[in-house]
Amino acid sequence: MDLYARIPNNVNLNEDKRLRRALEKWLPNYLDWWREMGPDGFQEKEVYLRTAVSVEADGWAHFDYVKMPDYRWGIFLKPAEKDAKVGFGDNYGMPVYQEVPGEFRNALRRIVVTQADTEPASVEQQRQLGKTCPSLYDLRNLFQVNVEEGRHLWAMVYLLHGYFGRDGREEADELLQRRSGNPDKPRILQAFNQPCDDWLNFFAFTMFTDRDGKYQLSALAESGFEPLARTCQFMLTEEAHHLMVGETGVGRVVQRTAQLMKEANSDDIRELGGIPLSIIQKYINYWLSYSLDLFGGEISSNSADFFAAGLKGRFKEQEKYEDHFAREGFFTIPVIQDGKIIEREVPLRNALNEVLRGEYIADCERAMKRWNKTLEDVNTQLYLPNRRFHRHVGEYSGHFFDIEGNIITETEFESRKDKWLPTTEDREFVQSLMTPVTEPGKIAGWIAPPQSGIKGKPFEFEYVRL
Ligand code: BYC
């Protein structure tokens, strides 16, 4: 592992002069983008960050104070397995591909570009949050997430430059030109164009949207295109922290809300400076529905083609499945016909987006159970909306459903949507609570402190030297 090269890497960049030159040309543009679109302010502050120093499962991370622009962005792939074989699809058991299979070049480039695009997009969405952090611990976690998303962009740009020639280089340039929420040059997937401008949004985003990242990366980590698989495998080790930030972040807001509800003996805790459960529920509905869109259509020939070609597998393909061909079998998907929900049998390979979405929902339900434990004392529960609710992609887009997934008319949806999705007033109320707390050991009144700090340090530790 070459940690001290201009572009730290474990892919022998030193020996591949063409690739190194191309990436070194991209590097200053990346830094320009980071300065323009990365966290606003704080660039000269020392942050207690984790940095990759190895790619081994244990001991890959080193913790120390770093200024964000000096973070070790680089290219780290999990070590190759000897004699690795394609793990699923029509080429099951054949040696893994070291180059992009010709007939799938465009499709694979699109997957890599789509994955890549989400990384800078999320940094852009979160750009202003540092100014309203609830504690130094949370501020540090925000920046950790941001620099790692930056590194994930590097991971994908390495693939584009290394394996897709000239159009890969052009795509890499465009990744620095699109902007989250900009109508003229938006990010590719809609969840990444939504504003994420308060900390409840941030926690819901890292809970639900980053979790889509976990499932997409897991499916790509199974890929028979070995450089993609090894890249995603290492990204996943970093991703776990982002999910912890989201799940415990929402959990800590719920915990504080429950505490204030008990104190006030009422659901309305606005006057005490807490976020009512009804607003937390609406943020869950909003981010879950946008994140469900990220899995693509329920019935998808793309997903079937990718699986057949051995390029995109299922979650834990090797661990959980015995039949890696998935040629047989059907999956039942509720679809809309003549204004009614009916069930359609779909060949399994065409339903793999939906299969992955199901795994994801089960994982969200697990977190929901944890949050609900905190609410037992106040006799209320949070829930996940039905997967058909508020969808913009796939079978359910263009139709209207209530929170339980029953089909309703557009007029009915419009008249009830303020009960289900955050209103302008809800957002303004949450925004009104977002005053920064930056004294070590102190925390904002709308969120509970974490159960433990980072890397054995206490909550009171000075995670960012302001
Ligand atoms: N928005 O067969 P279909 C993360 C298009 S998050 C707009 O249903 P497919 C992160 C599609 O392009 C993880 N368009 O879907 C999180 C196609 O167009 P054409 C990001 C969409 O292709 C937080 C048509 O609809 N990673 O890492 O099987 C912070 C029919 O497509 C959408 C990935 O997404 C959409 N949501 O699957 C930081 C992995 N969905 O061909 C980071 C890479 C579909 O008719 N991406 N369409 O013109 C993929 O694997 C796939 O592109 C998708 C879609 C899963 C997104």
Side-chain angles (χ1 to χ4, degrees), residues 135-147:
S135 72
L136 281 188
Y137 163 89
D138 290 292
L139 184 63
R140 177 262 169 210
N141 282 346
L142 167 73
F143 294 156
Q144 182 73 58
V145 168
N146 291 161
V147 291

Side-chain angles (χ1 to χ4, degrees), residues 105-117:
R105 199 170 174 283
N106 286 348
L108 200 55
R109 189 184 69 213
R110 209 170 71 168
I111 287 192
V112 173
V113 168
T114 309
Q115 176 64 48
D117 192 68

